[in-house]
Amino acid sequence: MAFDLGTPVNTALLLYILYSIQRIIFPSNSVPQSVPNEFKNGYTWMPKSHPPTLLYQTYTPKTLEPFNGKEGKRILLAIKGVVYDVTAGRNFYGPEGMYANFAGRDASRGMAKQSFDEEMLTPIDQPLDKLEDLTAEEIENMKGWMEHFSSKYIVCGKLVENDAV
Amino acid sequence: MALSDYLVTDDLTIILALVAAGLFLLHNLYKPQALVHPILLGRQSDVARVRNPSESAVYRNYGTGMLGRFPLRPTKDQQVLLDLVKPDADAPRTLWSTKITNPQLRERAANFGAGLVRVAGLVPQEFNVLLLLNDGIEFIISDLALASHSVPSFTLSSLSLLSSVLESHPPSLIITEAEFLPHLLELIYDSNESEHHSIVVVGDVSASQYRQVQNVKIVHWDDIERQGASLDKPILSTPEPSDVFTVAFYETPSGGYDGVQLTHENITAGVAATRALVPPSSALSPLDTIVSTHSLSTPYGRAIAYTALFEGTGFATVDSTKLIKPEGAASLTGLKDLRTSGSYHISSPTILFVHPHHLSSLTDTVLEEARKSSWLLYNFAWRHKLAGILEGYITKQSLWDRLVFDGARVKVMGKGAGTVRAVMVSGAPLEAQALTPSRIALSVPVINVHSHPLAAGPIFASHALDLQTFPPAASSSPSASAADAYAFTYLAPVGPPSVNVEVKLTGVDDAAVEGGADPVGALHVRGPSVGRPLSAEEEAAEEDQRGWRITGERAKVAPNGTFKVSVAGKA
């Protein structure tokens, strides 16, 4: 070069200036090969997965029972044949919660009678609780709980007899 | 030599350091900011939390939300069709070639309605009227008059449906153009109908030779309007928003035809959705002029026209929307077609509602002109504009526009180069690769819209400021048909559902979706702007399942909530 810079510092600065000028006059038009999954990594991006959506399924007392929150599973609970996903309320219905009895079970009688005792639950291999001996007031109470659950949690299935599937 | 000998600095170093610092700031901080933050483009639809087996979840626009209510009308005062012509907005604007104010338009509609009752013997709620008109002010006046008298009107998306419709749904009155009168009379004569018809003719009849047919009364449009103006206007009962005001017949991909019943609520909801296509910061106003290539005989074209009427903008259509063309006239496409809107007296267009072939023709011509002017500058301009788009930024006022593209646009679009501020594309599949050149050539928001003959108003509409460009993705599902595979790989995404529409897909592979794949299935829509097809079966009993309409198209959802639609029967 005719222009002698003489020092490495000047050479380095000159190279940086030439590089910057090149980037400004010839901007990059490269498109990344794969679409990034984070918006920090590019303007054109796609989230990795769809927003979570539950599949509406038909459960029996036997298939509902595993969903009691143990080992990180979802927590489901049924009232009058409607199955709710109460995983968001793990504090209440999870393994250490106050109402853990209801997890994975038909909680209709307990909701009606406002009790969390074991005797409110029917064993899994027996037919579903017909709820015939409830008073009108208890049925009102149960319906109130169903409304509360419908607004707070997700309706994700229905509960039928063991042999109905 | 010691290290300090290498690091000797002098005056030149200071100069170079300042220049380097300046360039560093310029390069890193002067980056253009995206028009919309990419985080918003990652969640464009709101998704239901539960889905039924073999169906996808229900998707709605993110702005509306799963719990929100659908907008039914632009404002609460617009209950029926005539309300869309606001009575208190009296600034004149040009519709096609007529300069008219809203009160004058309402008056003409009232005159025409009164004239129809007296001259043609129109009986509200017993008559049906077939509108065989090209787009023009007569169409609007007839439509408004019939809607206020609670008389359903029929429209056809193409003339090939005419004989079938005359047979299956014989109208009591037909309003048509003068040049079509001979053909129409032949048709009625041939079909040997015993129905008494009346025909109202727009335009000059004396020139055409027609054979008089018995039982058919021919009246002139101008006569009716003149006579109606001299009559006392009766007090009309206001129709209910849920009354059907029109039935729009369209061809189905399987070769038959179907009709969709539109109520007043459908059209007001369609107008509300069409208004929402432009971003709120640049909403429609009376200063705008809309040019549409969608015929008024289709529900979507009708919604665009009534949006223009509601907002007080100028409005015109192009030649290809004509239902009745002169004998032997070639049908125009692309830029030639768009230029036919110049034959009307509207001011320079600001918003274009066009088909993809218009957009591609316009883009190609602009880029060709730009390339011809200066090859080197064009390449620089393209490179810089593309770099901006990859960052999410596009503007019409950049240096490269001034140097290269403005000149090309003026040569191609004339005064429209400076006034066009948004382009909505719908009516046919749009390829993803065609979007970026269009964005660079026009440098305005190009919005991909998906419409369907069943809905007044758009079904899907992409975000106005969304400039994301995805590479063609390999279709992973092996069972997709060839048309689906092509559509889902190469077509541009049409965006999330419109503000007052919810969609779901049926026939979805549950195992694949649970495993994280994109749901693919038949598209069903529901919403206040979706009309009821004549072929619809009995409504389902439950509230949840009522109102879903089958579109006959297939669609795929991406994780960011945008859809890609594969139109049935077309590649």
Side-chain angles (χ1 to χ4, degrees):
Chain A
M1 255 196 338
F3 183 48
D4 174 30
L5 290 171
T7 56
V9 176
N10 285 355
T11 318
L13 284 174
L14 184 68
L15 286 176
Y16 178 74
I17 288 173
L18 290 176
Y19 167 74
S20 286
I21 292 179
Q22 191 259 343
R23 295 298 299 203
I24 291 175
I25 298 187
F26 297 96
S28 150
N29 275 358
S30 65
V31 180
Q33 278 296 88
S34 64
V35 177
N37 290 125
E38 298 265 323
F39 68 90
K40 290 192 282 284
N41 298 342
Y43 175 73
T44 298
W45 70 290
M46 184 67 76
K48 220 177 353 217
S49 59
H50 288 258
T53 302
L54 298 169
L55 186 57
Y56 190 90
Q57 285 175 334
T58 307
Y59 295 95
T60 65
K62 288 206 176 104
T63 55
L64 190 64
E65 202 268 332
F67 292 100
N68 50 19
K70 297 207 172 78
E71 294 151 15
K73 285 231 206 45
R74 286 162 51 197
I75 310 175
L76 301 180
L77 123 63
I79 307 178
K80 204 150 185 290
V82 180
V83 176
Y84 299 95
D85 181 311
V86 298
T87 318
R90 193 172 273 273
N91 289 337
F92 297 114
Y93 302 101
E96 276 88 44
M98 294 198 302
Y99 317 131
N101 283 343
F102 286 165
R105 308 296 292 273
D106 178 14
S108 317
R109 185 172 285 269
M111 291 292 164
K113 292 194 184 281
Q114 205 73 29
S115 155
F116 308 109
D117 297 337
E118 273 292 332
E119 58 214 25
M120 294 290 136
L121 302 168
T122 44
I124 299 171
D125 43 5
Q126 284 185 11
L128 288 177
D129 195 338
K130 302 272 187 306
L131 306 173
E132 273 153 3
D133 55 337
L134 293 181
T135 67
E137 193 192 317
E138 284 164 347
I139 296 199
E140 274 307 306
N141 189 20
M142 182 176 72
K143 292 209 171 113
W145 276 112
M146 287 179 78
E147 270 190 43
H148 168 84
F149 273 78
S150 292
S151 57
K152 193 167 175 199
Y153 300 109
I154 314 168
V155 174
C156 70
K158 64 179 188 219
L159 186 67
V160 296
E161 297 284 357
N162 273 319
D163 47 9
V165 175
Chain B
M1 291 206 327
L3 191 62
S4 55
D5 287 343
Y6 280 113
L7 292 176
V8 61
T9 60
D10 57 0
D11 293 333
L12 186 59
T13 311
I14 299 175
I15 298 171
L16 287 179
L18 286 174
V19 173
L23 281 178
F24 173 78
L25 288 174
L26 188 70
H27 183 223
N28 285 19
L29 299 183
Y30 192 59
K31 273 206 178 75
Q33 264 213 321
L35 292 174
V36 58
H37 197 287
I39 198 175
L40 296 173
L41 299 176
R43 191 78 181 262
Q44 297 187 39
S45 318
D46 203 13
V47 187
R49 303 297 302 274
V50 184
R51 66 186 183 89
N52 289 327
S54 87
E55 280 182 9
S56 76
V58 174
Y59 287 82
R60 287 192 188 188
N61 189 286
Y62 194 75
T64 312
M66 292 309 299
L67 301 173
R69 285 197 304 179
F70 288 135
L72 295 175
R73 45 190 67 96
T75 69
K76 65 170 172 45
D77 297 323
Q78 273 72 40
Q79 300 281 339
V80 292
L81 193 70
L82 194 60
D83 297 337
L84 286 172
V85 183
K86 290 189 280 204
D88 42 0
D90 55 0
R93 39 76 196 282
T94 316
L95 298 174
W96 291 276
S97 295
T98 318
K99 202 163 166 140
I100 197 170
T101 66
N102 273 359
Q104 285 171 348
L105 186 60
R106 287 176 81 108
E107 198 187 308
R108 283 187 74 174
N111 291 344
F112 185 69
L116 271 186
V117 172
R118 165 68 68 89
V119 178
L122 192 76
V123 180
Q125 288 167 348
E126 278 180 28
F127 262 44
N128 291 324
V129 178
L130 176 61
L131 291 176
L132 279 180
L133 288 173
N134 289 338
D135 294 351
I137 194 131
E138 292 87 12
F139 195 116
I140 301 277
I141 294 177
S142 319
D143 206 16
L144 290 171
L146 294 172
S148 346
H149 284 263
S150 305
V151 173
S153 55
F154 293 162
T155 61
L156 309 174
S157 67
S158 88
L159 280 182
S160 51
L161 302 173
L162 182 55
S163 37
S164 331
V165 170
L166 279 181
E167 231 177 296
S168 56
H169 299 87
S172 329
L173 179 72
I174 303 180
I175 306 183
T176 187
E177 303 271 346
E179 54 209 24
F180 191 60
L181 187 58
H183 194 146
L184 182 61
L185 287 172
E186 297 262 355
L187 215 68
I188 295 177
Y189 182 73
D190 286 339
S191 66
N192 284 330
E193 280 193 62
S194 55
E195 280 269 336
H196 291 247
H197 281 294
S198 301
I199 302 186
V200 179
V201 184
V202 174
D204 192 11
V205 194
S206 49
S208 50
Q209 313 280 341
Y210 60 91
R211 168 193 10 204
Q212 280 287 358
V213 183
Q214 261 196 332
N215 298 336
V216 174
K217 188 164 81 161
I218 297 183
V219 196
H220 294 176
W221 211 85
D222 298 326
D223 284 343
I224 294 192
E225 221 189 324
R226 211 176 18 245
Q227 293 197 26
S230 57
L231 291 171
D232 288 329
K233 312 288 180 301
I235 309 289
L236 299 166
S237 61
T238 326
E240 290 289 311
S242 52
D243 287 344
V244 174
F245 83 98
T246 193
V247 179
F249 290 94
Y250 60 98
E251 289 170 315
T252 53
S254 54
Y257 73 96
D258 197 2
V260 56
Q261 294 174 327
L262 294 177
T263 62
H264 294 271
E265 190 178 277
N266 290 145
I267 194 85
T268 52
V271 169
T274 311
R275 287 176 80 211
L277 286 178
V278 282
S281 55
S282 49
L284 296 172
S285 75
L287 298 171
D288 282 312
T289 305
I290 296 181
V291 168
S292 161
T293 65
H294 296 93
S295 163
L296 259 76
S297 305
T298 61
Y300 181 51
R302 208 90 155 255
I304 297 173
Y306 281 108
T307 310
L309 278 179
F310 173 73
E311 295 284 353
T313 68
F315 186 72
T317 53
V318 297
D319 254 14
S320 62
T321 62
K322 284 196 159 103
L323 193 63
I324 296 161
K325 295 190 172 57
E327 290 286 328
S331 62
L332 301 169
T333 58
L335 192 53
K336 286 207 193 75
D337 194 26
L338 269 184
R339 286 196 173 131
T340 58
S341 67
S343 62
Y344 299 110
H345 297 157
I346 48 164
S347 38
S348 185
T350 59
I351 313 260
L352 302 176
F353 283 84
V354 296
H355 285 76
H357 61 85
H358 296 106
L359 182 69
S360 59
S361 166
L362 183 61
T363 307
D364 291 341
T365 321
V366 170
L367 292 179
E368 191 57 49
E369 282 293 333
R371 208 174 290 137
K372 270 199 290 198
S373 66
S374 160
W375 183 83
L376 189 65
L377 270 185
Y378 171 78
N379 276 319
F380 264 111
W382 178 277
R383 197 178 174 134
H384 279 258
K385 283 246 166 207
L386 185 57
I389 286 185
L390 293 175
E391 292 287 320
Y393 177 78
I394 193 84
T395 179
K396 223 168 155 184
Q397 271 99 30
S398 74
L399 168 70
W400 303 105
D401 285 291
R402 277 199 292 272
L403 284 180
V404 180
F405 288 111
D406 273 350
R409 277 184 218 130
V410 167
K411 277 210 198 91
V412 176
M413 299 202 285
K415 282 214 300 194
T419 56
V420 169
R421 65 181 184 89
V423 179
M424 291 18 156
V425 188
S426 69
L430 178 68
E431 299 219 343
Q433 280 187 325
L435 265 182
T436 304
S438 302
R439 289 186 170 131
I440 293 180
L442 300 174
S443 297
V444 290
V446 176
I447 300 165
N448 194 4
V449 173
H450 181 76
S451 60
H452 191 271
L454 277 182
I459 295 198
F460 294 107
S462 65
H463 193 291
L465 305 171
D466 178 1
L467 297 176
Q468 291 183 322
T469 44
F470 292 96
S475 177
S476 52
S477 132
S479 58
S481 68
D484 281 359
Y486 175 80
F488 298 146
T489 311
Y490 292 109
L491 292 186
V494 285
S498 161
V499 292
N500 52 14
V501 160
E502 54 184 356
V503 304
K504 72 176 178 187
L505 308 174
T506 60
V508 167
D509 184 357
D510 276 336
V513 172
E514 290 296 307
D518 294 340
V520 177
L523 184 66
H524 292 236
V525 298
R526 179 165 73 170
S529 62
V530 181
R532 185 159 197 276
L534 291 177
S535 59
E537 296 134 15
E538 278 297 315
E539 293 286 0
E542 290 165 27
E543 190 61 49
D544 282 358
Q545 285 145 27
R546 197 187 301 226
W548 286 104
R549 304 291 171 216
I550 306 175
T551 59
E553 296 168 343
R554 291 178 62 79
K556 171 177 172 173
V557 200
N560 65 0
T562 56
F563 282 72
K564 283 195 183 183
V565 181
S566 160
V567 181
K570 296 179 190 154

